[in-house]
Amino acid sequence: MNEAKLNQLLNDVRSGKKPIAHAVRQLKSYAIHDLDFARVDGHRTLRKGFPEVIYCEGKTPAQVAKIAGTIVKHNDNLLATRASQETYRAVKRVLHRAKYHEAARCITVVRKPAPKRTGTVAVLCAGTTDIPVAEEAVVTAEIMGNKVKRYYDVGVAGLHRLMAVNHELLDANVLIVVAGMEGALPSVVGGLVDKPVIAVPSSVGYGASFGGIAALLAMLNSCASGITVVNINNGFGAGYAASLINHLSQS
Amino acid sequence: MNEAKLNQLLNDVRSGKKPIAHAVRQLKSYAIHDLDFARVDGHRTLRKGFPEVIYCEGKTPAQVAKIAGTIVKHNDNLLATRASQETYRAVKRVLHRAKYHEAARCITVVRKPAPKRTGTVAVLCAGTTDIPVAEEAVVTAEIMGNKVKRYYDVGVAGLHRLMAVNHELLDANVLIVVAGMEGALPSVVGGLVDKPVIAVPSSVGYGASFGGIAALLAMLNSCASGITVVNINNGFGAGYAASLINHLSQS
Amino acid sequence: MNEAKLNQLLNDVRSGKKPIAHAVRQLKSYAIHDLDFARVDGHRTLRKGFPEVIYCEGKTPAQVAKIAGTIVKHNDNLLATRASQETYRAVKRVLHRAKYHEAARCITVVRKPAPKRTGTVAVLCAGTTDIPVAEEAVVTAEIMGNKVKRYYDVGVAGLHRLMAVNHELLDANVLIVVAGMEGALPSVVGGLVDKPVIAVPSSVGYGASFGGIAALLAMLNSCASGITVVNINNGFGAGYAASLINHLSQS
Amino acid sequence: MNEAKLNQLLNDVRSGKKPIAHAVRQLKSYAIHDLDFARVDGHRTLRKGFPEVIYCEGKTPAQVAKIAGTIVKHNDNLLATRASQETYRAVKRVLHRAKYHEAARCITVVRKPAPKRTGTVAVLCAGTTDIPVAEEAVVTAEIMGNKVKRYYDVGVAGLHRLMAVNHELLDANVLIVVAGMEGALPSVVGGLVDKPVIAVPSSVGYGASFGGIAALLAMLNSCASGITVVNINNGFGAGYAASLINHLSQS
Amino acid sequence: MNEAKLNQLLNDVRSGKKPIAHAVRQLKSYAIHDLDFARVDGHRTLRKGFPEVIYCEGKTPAQVAKIAGTIVKHNDNLLATRASQETYRAVKRVLHRAKYHEAARCITVVRKPAPKRTGTVAVLCAGTTDIPVAEEAVVTAEIMGNKVKRYYDVGVAGLHRLMAVNHELLDANVLIVVAGMEGALPSVVGGLVDKPVIAVPSSVGYGASFGGIAALLAMLNSCASGITVVNINNGFGAGYAASLINHLSQS
Amino acid sequence: MNEAKLNQLLNDVRSGKKPIAHAVRQLKSYAIHDLDFARVDGHRTLRKGFPEVIYCEGKTPAQVAKIAGTIVKHNDNLLATRASQETYRAVKRVLHRAKYHEAARCITVVRKPAPKRTGTVAVLCAGTTDIPVAEEAVVTAEIMGNKVKRYYDVGVAGLHRLMAVNHELLDANVLIVVAGMEGALPSVVGGLVDKPVIAVPSSVGYGASFGGIAALLAMLNSCASGITVVNINNGFGAGYAASLINHLSQS
Amino acid sequence: MNEAKLNQLLNDVRSGKKPIAHAVRQLKSYAIHDLDFARVDGHRTLRKGFPEVIYCEGKTPAQVAKIAGTIVKHNDNLLATRASQETYRAVKRVLHRAKYHEAARCITVVRKPAPKRTGTVAVLCAGTTDIPVAEEAVVTAEIMGNKVKRYYDVGVAGLHRLMAVNHELLDANVLIVVAGMEGALPSVVGGLVDKPVIAVPSSVGYGASFGGIAALLAMLNSCASGITVVNINNGFGAGYAASLINHLSQS
Amino acid sequence: MNEAKLNQLLNDVRSGKKPIAHAVRQLKSYAIHDLDFARVDGHRTLRKGFPEVIYCEGKTPAQVAKIAGTIVKHNDNLLATRASQETYRAVKRVLHRAKYHEAARCITVVRKPAPKRTGTVAVLCAGTTDIPVAEEAVVTAEIMGNKVKRYYDVGVAGLHRLMAVNHELLDANVLIVVAGMEGALPSVVGGLVDKPVIAVPSSVGYGASFGGIAALLAMLNSCASGITVVNINNGFGAGYAASLINHLSQS
């Protein structure tokens, strides 16, 4: 029920066309029923600025394909993360424009690209094995209309690699920094820039890295200011938050 | 060494006033020595937009007072967090304008207020015992020039309290959400707004809350998009990051 | 040894037929031997109201089939949880009425349905990947004679989905709420109803969800009252406890 | 806003007394504003059947006294948990009927006792050091109108103590079982009764009990059916849930 | 070097046959070199009463076969634990008397059975899935010359099963109690007997059993006296310790 | 009810003095009521060979004194562990023979010493700070009638200290080995003797010793055979189990 | 930019050939641009004394082969760790001198062997299953020009095995000690030698060894002095650090 | 027993002065008794190059004073760590030369300074609150004869502070790097130098720093080569190991 319908209902009440008891019941469920319906026709886009994103892990290819089809019916674009090749093929059968981003393990459908923003999202990662997580962030930020620049393999064991791109980093509106192992990169980057840094711990490492816990804890305890953290390997979450942040600069 | 001094030095070289060997040595140490010295006179402000913030825990009142004095000598404003009453008194003796924010346990000195931004930072907390953490965020965001609105005691056990302020929340540029125990509030807030949400787990709770770990994990695993997380009880970190984000809307 | 036999024994003592030393020994083991015998003839049903349930994980299909056969010999109904297709086929060979619930991974045999109760058990889950756990709860509650209503995919990232069924939830006698990731759904549901809520953490999630620990901790720390928790993925335990609770309303 | 007021509003609309635009705004905020106000005047009682309970830890005596005063203004009864003697004195000054339950560390005000139910809540604990937690459950269940029977110091190291009260336990509608250390008591009790058992891990123990984690894990993994668990030392939560369960038998 | 050889050496010194410098060197390495050599010729048997036991996990079948061959060359009997069928076949090729205990996953070679002791080692387990661990204990205790009695599937959810064998348990010299999930069985058994109880946590369970941690913690925190604990699934360790204890009764 | 009373009852039945219905009721509750009563008059002594031991932590001095008085009324000896000086004084007022073992923090009352056994319990500890735990084991083993020999400060960082007493260790029937930090001592001792070793992790250490977890894990994973483990700092448990083991050698 | 180029630049400034604004910019990026260039031409060798080592886990064989080719183009030698047979074959195709160390899972290319040092690195391990970790350390230390001596299977359960090589250990400059399970070996070795000991926890073990955590904690808490620790299974890290230490003796 | 005494004994055997049986016994206990005695007269110095160091935590001032007196009787120098002012006063009474290092919480007695080595040990720390740990390392390294240079407050949030001393760091033989919070400093330092780096996690931080675990894990997972780690806050261990390493350069 939108504002117009609500006016109609109240006019019906005033004119006596609708019995008061009836109106009471209808009004009670107003916010809810309307939102509920919105679930299938695009309310998420309205509320969050982007349609529901499909997290494919634990869903069958058929389930993903069906959900993807429903979303695309009511929205311009689609993003599905943690998708296998098999899931991609199932989606492709339903949505011919579907594209698979192999490194990022993402599926996208872009029918009407989001308007490109002027600000930049910088995506850094410490090592080459962090790239899949970084790419998930890139694909997410790009489909949401952000300009993205990649700075990969700039870990702290060779600081000069980071220093070499220092000036470019200063130009970004928001920085996503992916690192596994000791997760030190966000602290160093956070000390160099005056923009928000989103730290993404990756599960790269072994032994006492505990699947990314070491990096996660390091990032949560960063001595540099302006750093916030997302879940281990959560490239999507970082890309999404970075997009929300970047969009502020143009609102 | 600032840009002006660097120009001066190069002019001295060109004019022959400064021997080249001397200039080489001075330039070599430029970024570094200058930065090092800048540590006390304002380079942090240059690099990060705000002078070094003093984390008082583990420092004696005398140490804090001395550091505070040095910072204020070279900067307009000062923020010291996790400060006891005793530390405040020590600082007060040195800096007469020092003000103590009891709930937030912060000391501030404001000689030249940061220019007020137009966007708003919303600070929410789930329960009354979360207020000290929330207030640390408020004090931090305010001294950095942000307009802050508080929404306290809006935990998910009584959703209507949150719903009552739903429309106001939609107006904020960035939201800080503090919660202990099960840490569910950021997920609910994140589902309602299309702006970045910074989740702050608090150590409020007992037993299996493990001093805030339960809330921290919940926030890292939030099913809502656009949420990033800071350390347990890190109101300062949230306020600082929120300020960096909010400043984007005006740059 | 039942009451009759005990009277007989004491009569034998009084009449001198049974030597006192003999009776002493026999009486000492009384409660125990009797209970032991009950183990094979249905004492569990007597004591708990439902025969032993087979947890199939770690048992061979042959073992399960044999135990299932023994239970059905002495009881009307059977429930086996965490059963693979292969285990089902082994049971099916022995018990032709056996039925496999694929989503729930349960085997049931119902020879004499439990009398249907009037109260309702509501089973909610946050996302589609939580459904297997929810279904295990459903199958358990149903075979124990409860009317069950499902409310799936009502996670807190889109509260309106939950609000849309709010009134129905108020009609349930007991609610089972399954959620992975941040496990926030039980807190929100617990704030809306005045009936017992059984929270089931699921292992859905990745990274810092730690296989369901995040959700488990969140649920244990819920700020809403009336919530109790079972083990991660323990749909059966939730269904069983819900049944015991629901049966109170008719006793 | 209650049903009556809602009817009034709609009558005012029909009669033209209230402009439609005005009504739209008022109706939009209906559920929320009303609920929000209800927070202080009794909506919690309406929704959950008992007014908000004050968790005193982390609140000053003055804060607790103020909240207690507000609650009692709109409700018949009051429960405050984890209250120190000092907090009690602060409340006593405001509410002369306030009573302190020393073992339970609870404050109660009972102006109009809840109607006593016929069913019984049994509260068991393994050792004498578990009694404070058990008493918190007792006080909670009693103020909510339940008949409570205590069975203390019946730990599994001397099973006969439990066996001696076995028959009485079978008469309870719901059982609360508190245990620290290895937390085995709920499993044994759960094997004996056919009613819901709420297990409460206590922090009693040392070394590898890890402040109650050992007991918590044991209870979550209980091999007996019908057991659900609350947070470590959460006597209140157990008493509250037990009350909701027990009330079913009379609804 | 044994006592005889040491006497010889000293005689050689006295007679001047062995230069003092030479003897000094030889004596210095005496305890060590001799023990080192003993590693292959049976010193472990001398020191511990049983030859080295092969833990097969992480060793190739060929490695195990080679070590087994060496041990059997110098000892009467052999025990290899955690052995796969494949490893067994490799050993069988070298040692034709080798026997595979499938449930226990052990290989034994018995050329000269250890003299049977009169005391009994009782081995209990809570459920059928604990049997492999229990059997490893049985095989270990038996090859070391102990009479073993099994009491399987006597978990605390049906106490009468345990009570039925109570009297037999009182006759054992030492009891091994295997349990997974909540690990409560050793506490109950420990409350009934006045003999040492060795508790073995098994990894049976799921979710918050954390691969046996829940049971391990429960056992370490047992409120019953006389209980000691071994590593998760360490049936061998329990059988070995039980044997050392049982042998005391005859020494 | 003891054996004599049971004979009396049956004689009363035979002679017709006691009606059968009456006897049935009495006998039914026999094991239980009698055991229950036995809790205060000595059944624990009957069942376990030693009266209940008081764990003082979490009990008030008054509570301990009262329990101690009751135990001593029905038993020859008393042991109370984790007792403060204050608790001791409270007990001393009631029981004039009470003795305080300061290092062990134990209270004992010995009215009729347990008969001394011939076998020896060896108690070792790695460092001087482990002595309180070791002494708790010593006091426990001694009051239960064991000869104890102490070997303190024999940690593995100076192996020769251990080697110097190697021969004496071989004479012990059972060895208790206390160690904090890396907990390596039991492994080394276990490699030298052919008797059961009870390892006691102590909380001595800092940082990554995690209050004894490091030592506990090391002991559970010992590569030496014949080692079992008790809870962190549980000197009592080790002494008790050692006593049960040592008593086997004379039964 | 080297010193010569810096002099040139300053001369150009003095002579007016280079505008000051231009020089400012160039000087600002000085340290960084130079280091960046070093990344591709051998700067790591310059800075650390050995070219970048490839950690193969998580990289495709093709990626490793490409990186290996680039490194060898600019360096004499190559080390790649955690390499599968498949990765080796990919590297072999590009670098014909590549050699695979199967036990160590390392690939090496040695075109110009590092000059052999006189001091020795001793590599010890507790059991045969620790050998892969030990071998990784050996391969690393050898390619960096160290003489290595192996002492395998010298765990503390049979101390004499260690004592037998005691004198040789005293000759080593630095000792690497690998151990899983309870990780006690480094403590014992550390007590015998006066040289630095690098402890390497291995993941050998089961149950409460938690994949090497037990050994890691033990080593961090070692009561012996002079011990430092690397990550679980990090043979490479130990070999590398040992080499840096050993090289000191000749610098 | 030293070499001379051993020769004497063997001469006595050869000359018949000492009966062979007597010599056998004496020789058997040789290595051990001698070493044992060495414990009090300086064998540790012989074996490790420095007398036993007293760890004061958990020892009474009187105990420390007594041990200190014994050590100084047989050695030139003394080091006691984690000493309170009170402990210092107790030692001072016995040893008038005792000196208290307040920041380091160490007591030293230097009667004959260790010969100064030429190489340098660099001690770095990230923040001012890390200084106590760093100072413990400094005091340890200095008393063992090393030249130490301090570089404090050079954390990664302001890299220029570290860069400013980069050249000096390259001159050190070994570097000790103390850091709390995210523990990133050792990784950055390790990337700049070609000498061994000993990383010391400090417990500085809060929330998810978990008392130093975050820093510990970060350091164990460092992506830079040549880093080894000691226990949390273990400045002594780092100083000791650094000294052993530094001494290599002169041996």
Side-chain angles (χ1 to χ4, degrees), chain G residues 200-226:
Chain G
V200 191
S202 85
S203 57
V204 169
Y206 63 92
S209 88
F210 299 133
I213 296 180
L216 171 62
L217 294 184
M219 292 171 182
L220 287 168
N221 286 286
S222 177
C223 57
S225 304

Short mmCIF file of all heavy atoms in Angstrom, two decimals, chain G residues 200-226:
data_model
loop_
_atom_site.label_atom_id
_atom_site.label_comp_id
_atom_site.label_asym_id
_atom_site.label_seq_id
_atom_site.Cartn_x
_atom_site.Cartn_y
_atom_site.Cartn_z
N VAL G 200 59.66 -25.54 16.64
CA VAL G 200 58.65 -25.61 15.59
C VAL G 200 57.56 -26.58 16.01
O VAL G 200 57.77 -27.80 16.00
CB VAL G 200 59.24 -26.10 14.25
CG1 VAL G 200 58.22 -25.91 13.13
CG2 VAL G 200 60.55 -25.40 13.94
N PRO G 201 56.39 -26.10 16.39
CA PRO G 201 55.30 -27.02 16.71
C PRO G 201 54.80 -27.67 15.43
O PRO G 201 54.65 -27.00 14.41
CB PRO G 201 54.22 -26.11 17.31
CG PRO G 201 54.53 -24.73 16.84
CD PRO G 201 56.01 -24.69 16.54
N SER G 202 54.58 -28.98 15.47
CA SER G 202 53.99 -29.63 14.30
C SER G 202 52.56 -30.02 14.61
O SER G 202 52.15 -30.08 15.77
CB SER G 202 54.80 -30.87 13.90
OG SER G 202 54.38 -31.99 14.64
N SER G 203 51.79 -30.27 13.56
CA SER G 203 50.38 -30.62 13.75
C SER G 203 50.19 -32.10 14.03
O SER G 203 49.06 -32.60 13.99
CB SER G 203 49.58 -30.18 12.53
OG SER G 203 50.09 -30.79 11.37
N VAL G 204 51.26 -32.81 14.31
CA VAL G 204 51.16 -34.24 14.61
C VAL G 204 50.42 -34.43 15.94
O VAL G 204 50.77 -33.79 16.94
CB VAL G 204 52.56 -34.88 14.67
CG1 VAL G 204 52.50 -36.29 15.24
CG2 VAL G 204 53.18 -34.88 13.29
N GLY G 205 49.44 -35.29 15.94
CA GLY G 205 48.65 -35.55 17.13
C GLY G 205 47.18 -35.66 16.78
O GLY G 205 46.81 -35.66 15.60
N TYR G 206 46.33 -35.75 17.78
CA TYR G 206 44.88 -35.86 17.53
C TYR G 206 44.16 -35.34 18.77
O TYR G 206 44.79 -35.04 19.79
CB TYR G 206 44.49 -37.32 17.22
CG TYR G 206 44.75 -38.25 18.36
CD1 TYR G 206 43.76 -38.53 19.31
CD2 TYR G 206 45.99 -38.83 18.52
CE1 TYR G 206 44.01 -39.36 20.37
CE2 TYR G 206 46.25 -39.67 19.59
CZ TYR G 206 45.26 -39.93 20.51
OH TYR G 206 45.52 -40.75 21.57
N GLY G 207 42.86 -35.26 18.70
CA GLY G 207 42.07 -34.84 19.86
C GLY G 207 42.53 -33.49 20.37
O GLY G 207 42.57 -32.50 19.64
N ALA G 208 42.91 -33.45 21.64
CA ALA G 208 43.27 -32.18 22.28
C ALA G 208 44.61 -31.62 21.83
O ALA G 208 45.12 -30.68 22.44
CB ALA G 208 43.24 -32.34 23.80
N SER G 209 45.20 -32.17 20.78
CA SER G 209 46.40 -31.51 20.22
C SER G 209 45.95 -30.35 19.34
O SER G 209 46.72 -29.44 19.05
CB SER G 209 47.24 -32.49 19.39
OG SER G 209 46.82 -32.53 18.05
N PHE G 210 44.68 -30.38 18.92
CA PHE G 210 44.08 -29.27 18.18
C PHE G 210 44.96 -28.81 17.03
O PHE G 210 45.22 -27.62 16.86
CB PHE G 210 43.76 -28.11 19.12
CG PHE G 210 42.80 -28.46 20.20
CD1 PHE G 210 43.03 -28.12 21.52
CD2 PHE G 210 41.65 -29.18 19.91
CE1 PHE G 210 42.13 -28.46 22.52
CE2 PHE G 210 40.75 -29.53 20.91
CZ PHE G 210 40.99 -29.17 22.22
N GLY G 211 45.45 -29.77 16.25
CA GLY G 211 46.21 -29.42 15.06
C GLY G 211 47.51 -28.68 15.33
O GLY G 211 47.97 -27.91 14.50
N GLY G 212 48.08 -28.89 16.50
CA GLY G 212 49.36 -28.29 16.80
C GLY G 212 49.30 -27.20 17.86
O GLY G 212 50.35 -26.70 18.31
N ILE G 213 48.12 -26.83 18.29
CA ILE G 213 48.00 -25.77 19.29
C ILE G 213 48.64 -26.20 20.61
O ILE G 213 49.32 -25.41 21.27
CB ILE G 213 46.52 -25.38 19.53
CG1 ILE G 213 45.93 -24.79 18.27
CG2 ILE G 213 46.41 -24.38 20.68
CD1 ILE G 213 44.47 -24.38 18.42
N ALA G 214 48.42 -27.45 21.00
CA ALA G 214 49.00 -27.93 22.26
C ALA G 214 50.52 -27.76 22.24
O ALA G 214 51.12 -27.24 23.18
CB ALA G 214 48.63 -29.39 22.50
N ALA G 215 51.13 -28.18 21.14
CA ALA G 215 52.59 -28.07 21.03
C ALA G 215 53.02 -26.60 20.97
O ALA G 215 54.01 -26.20 21.60
CB ALA G 215 53.07 -28.81 19.78
N LEU G 216 52.28 -25.80 20.24
CA LEU G 216 52.60 -24.37 20.13
C LEU G 216 52.59 -23.71 21.50
O LEU G 216 53.54 -23.00 21.88
CB LEU G 216 51.58 -23.69 19.21
CG LEU G 216 51.63 -22.16 19.15
CD1 LEU G 216 52.96 -21.67 18.61
CD2 LEU G 216 50.49 -21.60 18.31
N LEU G 217 51.54 -23.95 22.28
CA LEU G 217 51.44 -23.34 23.60
C LEU G 217 52.57 -23.83 24.50
O LEU G 217 53.18 -23.05 25.24
CB LEU G 217 50.08 -23.64 24.24
CG LEU G 217 48.87 -23.03 23.54
CD1 LEU G 217 47.61 -23.33 24.33
CD2 LEU G 217 49.03 -21.54 23.37
N ALA G 218 52.84 -25.11 24.45
CA ALA G 218 53.91 -25.66 25.27
C ALA G 218 55.23 -24.94 24.97
O ALA G 218 55.95 -24.53 25.89
CB ALA G 218 54.06 -27.16 25.03
N MET G 219 55.49 -24.76 23.70
CA MET G 219 56.78 -24.15 23.31
C MET G 219 56.84 -22.68 23.73
O MET G 219 57.88 -22.19 24.16
CB MET G 219 56.98 -24.30 21.80
CG MET G 219 57.19 -25.77 21.42
SD MET G 219 57.17 -26.01 19.63
CE MET G 219 57.38 -27.81 19.55
N LEU G 220 55.72 -21.97 23.59
CA LEU G 220 55.70 -20.56 24.00
C LEU G 220 55.91 -20.43 25.51
O LEU G 220 56.37 -19.41 25.99
CB LEU G 220 54.36 -19.92 23.61
CG LEU G 220 54.18 -19.64 22.12
CD1 LEU G 220 52.73 -19.29 21.82
CD2 LEU G 220 55.09 -18.52 21.66
N ASN G 221 55.53 -21.46 26.27
CA ASN G 221 55.64 -21.41 27.71
C ASN G 221 56.85 -22.16 28.25
O ASN G 221 56.91 -22.45 29.45
CB ASN G 221 54.36 -22.01 28.33
CG ASN G 221 53.19 -21.08 28.20
OD1 ASN G 221 53.12 -20.09 28.90
ND2 ASN G 221 52.30 -21.39 27.26
N SER G 222 57.79 -22.46 27.39
CA SER G 222 58.93 -23.26 27.81
C SER G 222 59.65 -22.64 29.01
O SER G 222 59.91 -21.45 29.06
CB SER G 222 59.92 -23.41 26.66
OG SER G 222 61.04 -24.14 27.12
N CYS G 223 59.97 -23.50 29.98
CA CYS G 223 60.69 -23.02 31.16
C CYS G 223 62.19 -22.92 30.89
O CYS G 223 62.93 -22.40 31.72
CB CYS G 223 60.42 -23.93 32.35
SG CYS G 223 60.85 -25.64 32.03
N ALA G 224 62.63 -23.39 29.75
CA ALA G 224 64.05 -23.28 29.40
C ALA G 224 64.29 -21.95 28.69
O ALA G 224 63.43 -21.46 27.97
CB ALA G 224 64.47 -24.45 28.51
N SER G 225 65.46 -21.37 28.87
CA SER G 225 65.75 -20.06 28.29
C SER G 225 66.41 -20.21 26.92
O SER G 225 67.07 -21.21 26.63
CB SER G 225 66.69 -19.28 29.20
OG SER G 225 66.12 -19.18 30.48
N GLY G 226 66.21 -19.20 26.08
CA GLY G 226 66.88 -19.18 24.78
C GLY G 226 66.06 -19.79 23.67
O GLY G 226 66.56 -20.03 22.58
#
